[in-house]
Amino acid sequence: MANKTQEVGGIHFPFPFTPYSIQKDFMAELYRVLEAGKIGIFESPTGTGKSLSLICGALSWLRDFEQRKHQEEARLLETGTVPLSDGKEQPLSLSSSCRETPDTPRPAGEPDWVTQFVQKKEERDLVDRLKEEQVRRKKREERLRQIRHNAQLKCAAKCVRQEEEEMERLLCLSREMLAAGAEAEPREPLASGEEELVLAEYESDEEKGAARGVDTDEDDPEEEHVTKIYYCSRTHSQLAQFVHEVQRSPFGKDTRLVSLGSRQNLCINGDVKTLGSAQLINDRCVEMQRSKHERNRAEEEKPKRRRQEHRAACPFYGYEQLQLLRDQVLVGVKDIEQLVALGKEARACPYYGSRFAIPAAQLVVLPYQMLLHAATRQAVGIWLQGQVVLIDEAHNLIDTITGIHSAEVSGSQLCQAHSQLLQYMERYGKRLKAKNLMYIKQILYLLEKFVTVLGGNIKQNPNTQSLSQTGTELKTINDFLFESQIDNINLFKVRRYCERSMISRKLFGFTERYGTVLTPSREQPRLAGFQHFLQTLQPTAAETPVSPVEEGEARLPRPASPLMHIESFLAAVTTANQDGRVILSRQGSLCQSSLKFLLLNPAVHFAQVVKECRAVVIAGGTMQPMSDFREQLLACAGVEAERVVEFSCGHVIPPDNILPLVICSGPSSQQLEFTYQKRELPQMMEETGRILCNLCTVVPGGVVCFFPSYEYQRQVYAHWDKSGLLARLAVRKKIFQEPKKANQVEQVLAEYSRCIKCCGQAGGTVTGALLLSVVGGKMSEGINFSDNLGRCVVMVGMPYPNIRSPELQEKMAYLDQTLPRGPGQPPPGKALVENLCMKAVNQSIGRAIRHQKDFASIVLLDQRYARPPILGKLPAWIRDCVEVKATFGPAFAAMRKFHREKSVPS
């Protein structure tokens, strides 16, 4: 594809081909939002080239911004002076180190000569910083140029690295031989390797220990964070697709792009990867980095504990290796798979190598969770001050933020964690320092009180423990803490202790060593209970046969310690009282009961993002209704209304390539209103079947039918099977059902696609396939039903969420209390329910039209869709051409005419 530069409003946008007019509008509006430092909500339907518009629009702005910055920098260095802030444009923020301006307000009454002296000194300091930054930038550019054009440099570095690794391997072998030959007498009879399970001495809360700074000890001090764009999306595949679009774009060769991922995706250490659980991989990785630092210190001074010498450091975590990998990452655009392959070749950790590349990167690609969680941002090294954030596929952004910061623990997990921690303390209590014992006892107390507030007893087995009181109860955070009798404990300190001591990882190692820890009976003496527990572990692995079930389970990711889940809950309940609720769910037994933290105000976690960033863009294919983003997310985060810009474009297809219909009644004049009270009536299910039978006679290829829930789909299918409607449907379409298991989705889709292709070639009475799907299920998002795979999408009813859900009721009440009610508008809580419903509808019906020459019909089966407030929540490109049919006859005639005309070869 030849690159074609487009000029829109005096701005040049490089593009791989001639863009659609809506793409030009998208890029121009995006450029204006980034330039003015606004918050943009952008909607561009799937199939309109949204990703390319984001890439070319945002990187064109970054190109111009960097050019202006360098010009301003050159002028300042040439003149050696800085313009005063006299109403004209202030100097550009050149980097994180050059954000101070020389026009800082001076105290009133200060002599002029003092003001001038201070001003000149600030000017000189700024010029000095500019010079330093220019030197750093030139060094980086030269380094990358050499890597890009000099393969010999990479080969030489690789040889040096291999020599160092061989030396390190030989040194390790020598140390092991020496240690084996002169083994010291152990302090007490612990089994081999068991020393790893003992907690190290915990520093005081006021001290900043090495635990927090492990990951940043070797950050390159020369690198400053340049102005960059952070692009985030939901899934790994979406991020990979975006990176491939960047590679194909005109910016693919010159953009310094870094793909970030989790340790689980990027780790190349085989021993660590086998742990399976993301939490265990994270903990083991951090522990290995600590080991490296401790080993380096041990060469200078005698170690405090002999066990520190036996820890294994990661062979892929070396300063020079990572610096070379960092530079290689910045040369050429690479996705996660390419980054992992590069790390294996360089024998350097891709996880840390990509993190070291963040400061110099122009475009950073990362998953939602890494950007939206403050602690994760800090740990990874993401600095948002003055930067640009693009959040793609953002239709479920509010739910994502809520989910990230919510937590749930079961009664079984609470009891199991208490039992494990108690046995751990009994085993190693004499080797622990006083502060460790103090915090462990506080955690045990918390666990006991959490079980008590559920109505259980920590001394009894949760699986056999019945609760006298059942039901669901919601409480404010403060009320929950008071009722649990833990309001006198500083949860912030306990949370910090858990993070720094890594007690959950130690506890997991303890249980891994001794097998599954069951809840001991507290009626027996504690020591006797623990000794009985140890006696059950006497048979060796060789004497204990492994069942086929255990062999199969061994291949699955090992579950994390229950204490890890409880740590998340402790972090959640430190949220401000008004922003969350605690749900006490008391079921029949304690093991089925749970404590759940529900975040009511996601804006509290999004506020820091919009406050620090220069600009934020929230984009998606189906962003309607946009009011949720404005009111629940931005307004509550303190964003002024004038800073918010909304942009919504039409589709690239001609208007006559789509036929959206609202059908209010069926062939037998049955009114279609699929409320909870009516949808299970036999006549409603029969009428739905008759409508589909008629549609399948005129629609070629594939028909995708969405139901509100799996349970309702099952009921309808069973009724059709009993009444004979299923057999009538099968005359025209082969019937497929959406599987509940995610690993079966690809197989069903492949068979569905194969059936449609074969029917199109063979002819006959069967003209395609009918896929019965569920709103919010596997098929309603991210699946491409283009061309013959989705010539018609049918939506049965309106997928309203369960209004009786305690979580939803609390959220509605919270919005009614906090958001203003506009004139003539429904209460915010009711609007929330409607918006949740229509977001799900919009996401599902958007599966069909995927490119400019595609065509499809969209059928909404429910007379409630005809209401103007509901129609107004549909995407504009559907809303503008929707037809409401009060009876089925005209609707069927329109469908037959549409598909007859579109199916004729042009």
Side-chain angles (χ1 to χ4, degrees), residues 110 185 289 452:
E110 200 172 64
E185 183 180 350
Q289 309 327 314
T452 302

Side-chain angles (χ1 to χ4, degrees), residues 535-826:
Q535 289 172 2
T536 64
L537 306 170
Q538 290 302 318
T540 63
E543 296 171 342
T544 307
V546 179
S547 68
V549 175
E550 290 172 337
E551 290 175 355
E553 290 175 349
R555 289 188 291 268
L556 297 174
R558 285 182 280 174
S561 162
L563 189 59
M564 294 178 184
H565 295 280
I566 293 157
E567 287 178 12
S568 300
F569 181 77
L570 289 176
V573 293
T574 56
T575 305
N577 182 61
Q578 70 273 15
D579 293 329
R581 297 289 184 271
V582 178
I583 303 173
L584 289 75
S585 177
R586 300 182 179 97
Q587 304 301 320
S589 64
L590 179 60
C591 67
Q592 296 172 329
S593 303
S594 65
L595 298 174
K596 180 178 180 180
F597 173 80
L598 174 66
L599 179 68
L600 296 177
N601 182 18
V604 72
H605 295 286
F606 197 63
Q608 187 177 5
V609 176
V610 295
K611 180 181 179 181
E612 294 184 359
C613 290
R614 173 194 178 96
V616 177
V617 173
I618 304 170
T622 51
M623 298 295 287
Q624 296 291 345
M626 292 186 180
S627 57
D628 283 357
F629 298 100
R630 288 195 315 268
E631 297 167 3
Q632 294 185 43
L633 204 58
L634 300 180
C636 291
V639 178
E640 301 84 359
E642 55 270 18
R643 194 185 173 197
V644 180
V645 175
E646 294 182 8
F647 175 87
S648 182
C649 63
H651 214 294
V652 294
I653 61 168
D656 58 356
N657 274 24
I658 182 175
L659 178 64
L661 297 175
V662 175
I663 301 180
C664 300
S665 63
S668 63
S669 300
Q670 171 71 44
Q671 290 295 308
L672 302 177
E673 189 169 356
F674 293 85
T675 61
Y676 286 112
Q677 295 78 17
K678 297 179 181 179
R679 69 184 189 184
E680 295 181 8
L681 296 175
Q683 57 265 35
M684 289 295 291
M685 292 189 279
E686 289 172 12
E687 194 76 335
T688 305
R690 283 191 285 267
I691 292 172
L692 282 176
C693 284
N694 281 276
L695 295 183
C696 287
T697 61
V698 297
V699 178
V703 177
V704 184
C705 181
F706 286 100
F707 290 87
S709 68
Y710 283 104
E711 177 59 25
Y712 187 58
Q713 179 201 351
R714 186 194 63 77
Q715 290 179 359
V716 172
Y717 188 90
H719 183 84
W720 288 351
D721 189 23
K722 185 178 180 180
S723 66
L725 279 168
L726 202 62
R728 287 177 56 190
L729 281 168
V731 172
R732 286 290 185 176
K733 304 287 184 184
K734 185 175 180 180
I735 300 173
F736 294 86
Q737 293 188 77
E738 175 179 326
K740 279 192 174 183
K741 295 183 179 179
N743 59 2
Q744 297 175 350
V745 171
E746 289 297 329
Q747 179 184 351
V748 172
L749 285 175
E751 293 177 1
Y752 171 77
S753 177
R754 193 181 309 114
C755 174
I756 292 172
K757 185 177 181 181
C758 293
C759 292
Q761 295 172 348
T765 58
V766 179
T767 60
L770 170 63
L771 178 59
L772 305 180
S773 304
V774 177
V775 175
K778 318 293 186 304
M779 308 290 189
S780 65
E781 187 173 338
I783 303 295
N784 185 349
F785 291 112
S786 63
D787 301 319
N788 277 339
L789 295 182
R791 288 305 183 198
C792 179
V793 175
V794 180
M795 179 66 61
V796 178
M798 299 187 69
Y800 280 105
N802 182 6
I803 196 68
R804 293 185 290 271
S805 163
E807 293 95 332
L808 182 58
Q809 289 182 351
E810 192 67 19
K811 181 74 172 180
M812 292 170 63
Y814 174 80
L815 294 180
D816 287 339
Q817 294 171 5
T818 56
L819 294 183
R821 180 177 179 179
Q825 298 295 320

